[in-house]
Amino acid sequence: MTRAEELQRIASQVRRDVVRMVTKAQSGHPGGSLSSADILTCLYFEVLKHDPETWTREGRGQDIFILSAGHISPVYYSVLARSGYFPIEELATFRQYGTRLQGHPSVAKGLKGVFQASGSLGQGISVAAGMALSKRLDGDDNYAYVLCGDGESQEGQIWEAALFASHHKISNLIAMTDWNGQQIDGTVQSVSSQGDLQKKWEAFGWNTIVTDGHNMEEILSAFQQAKSLKSTDKPTMILFKTDMGHGVDFMSGTCQWHGKAPSEAQCKLALEQLEETLGDF
């Protein structure tokens, strides 16, 4: 089995986690979580330099990751748990009263792996840029990664952060966009068209990479290319072309599952399409 095939097996389990968490809570955001599952699986299980045992919020000596699109917390919690940051069984507490696994990532209860509370859209690149710059000033050669959504990229703060990172030549910043074309009220094109995102990011002084966000080999290649561009003195944006709800046929390609929980019957149908590879929580 190739490494890409191993990662695909992990991603299938992550998708199962997402569907089961949201169904159990009867609340949450499955669509974007499913479209980002391959990206975050590759990041956490192959690319990111991280260690749950020595993790601190300061992030010294390790890479950091910021989830800007905080509403897709189910996929984030799954990869954190599967990476060893907290017990997998805790995924069953998603969105319950008093849980550490809030609907949006929170630092209030000290959940390991979460550097910054998120969910107010548009803020993640600003946070990641600041943390990447602080690493450079501290002589830390590691990277800051951040994932945002294409609907989220309608926020003005995204582009303020883009200018800041370009101006300060923050080349250890690698941003990613889950480019699935959907947001809560419809398609991104119909709500507020953004035109050519690749040309926009290039115009703001960033390196850009466009790739298939569901092809493990291409995802791994994109990350490798992004890291190799550090010497350009530019931040890098990877635009991952994805499908909202990927992996579950009745959720795929539609905004209807942006923030909608499946019924038990729908959950069963979804799980029949997703291989259990690491054991359910």
Side-chain angles (χ1 to χ4, degrees):
M1 183 181 296
T2 67
R3 184 53 178 157
E5 289 171 337
E6 292 174 351
L7 291 168
Q8 191 61 64
R9 284 174 52 81
I10 297 171
S12 180
Q13 185 66 59
V14 168
R15 287 190 167 93
R16 288 181 67 89
D17 291 346
V18 167
V19 172
R20 296 182 71 244
M21 290 163 67
V22 175
T23 302
K24 186 175 188 301
Q26 278 300 290
S27 179
H29 296 78
S33 293
L34 294 173
S35 64
S36 299
D38 297 319
I39 301 166
L40 291 190
T41 296
C42 281
L43 182 66
Y44 269 84
F45 289 89
E46 189 67 24
V47 177
L48 199 69
K49 179 183 175 182
H50 66 118
D51 179 5
E53 295 301 318
T54 60
W55 181 90
T56 65
R57 280 192 69 197
E58 287 76 20
R60 288 189 176 90
Q62 300 187 27
D63 293 334
I64 66 158
F65 170 71
I66 301 295
L67 178 64
S68 187
H71 58 284
I72 62 169
S73 60
V75 67
Y76 188 28
Y77 295 146
S78 175
V79 296
L80 285 176
R82 298 286 173 181
S83 297
Y85 282 90
F86 58 86
I88 292 169
E89 294 74 20
E90 193 170 349
L91 294 176
T93 71
F94 175 64
R95 280 186 175 244
Q96 292 184 12
Y97 183 75
T99 181
R100 297 195 296 175
L101 308 187
Q102 294 293 309
H104 294 77
S106 170
V107 297
K109 294 180 181 290
L111 184 65
K112 286 180 66 175
V114 178
F115 287 97
Q116 178 69 25
S118 59
S120 297
L121 296 180
Q123 297 181 1
I125 295 182
S126 296
V127 173
M131 296 185 80
L133 181 56
S134 70
K135 282 187 173 294
R136 189 175 77 191
L137 295 173
D138 200 34
D140 184 339
D141 291 332
N142 293 292
Y143 292 84
Y145 294 84
V146 56
L147 176 65
C148 62
D150 51 353
E152 178 186 7
S153 298
Q154 295 161 349
E155 296 278 356
Q157 187 171 341
I158 292 280
W159 303 103
E160 294 177 37
L163 287 172
F164 175 87
S166 176
H167 174 78
H168 290 283
K169 301 179 180 179
I170 308 178
S171 59
N172 60 332
L173 172 62
I174 298 176
M176 301 161 276
T177 298
D178 179 21
W179 200 359
N180 61 39
Q182 305 289 332
Q183 60 187 102
I184 187 170
D185 290 325
T187 66
V188 174
Q189 178 72 17
S190 64
V191 174
S192 183
S193 175
Q194 299 168 345
D196 191 323
L197 275 181
Q198 182 178 13
K199 289 182 179 178
K200 277 188 169 62
W201 282 101
E202 288 174 350
F204 275 74
W206 286 52
N207 298 310
T208 61
I209 301 166
V210 180
T211 196
D212 183 345
H214 300 308
N215 182 307
M216 290 298 185
E217 291 182 351
E218 291 191 21
I219 295 171
L220 291 172
S221 177
F223 279 126
Q224 182 177 17
Q225 183 183 352
K227 293 176 73 173
S228 74
L229 293 171
K230 191 174 183 180
S231 61
T232 65
D233 288 335
K234 294 181 179 182
T236 297
M237 168 59 76
I238 308 175
L239 297 165
F240 287 109
K241 291 188 174 180
T242 62
D243 297 317
M244 176 77 91
H246 187 80
V248 178
D249 58 8
F250 62 87
M251 293 185 180
S252 182
T254 172
C255 69
Q256 294 180 6
W257 293 94
H258 169 87
K260 175 183 175 182
S263 66
E264 290 292 342
Q266 290 169 325
C267 177
K268 184 176 183 294
L269 288 174
L271 294 177
E272 288 173 354
Q273 301 175 41
L274 299 167
E275 183 183 6
E276 181 181 350
T277 59
L278 300 176
D280 288 333
F281 60 84

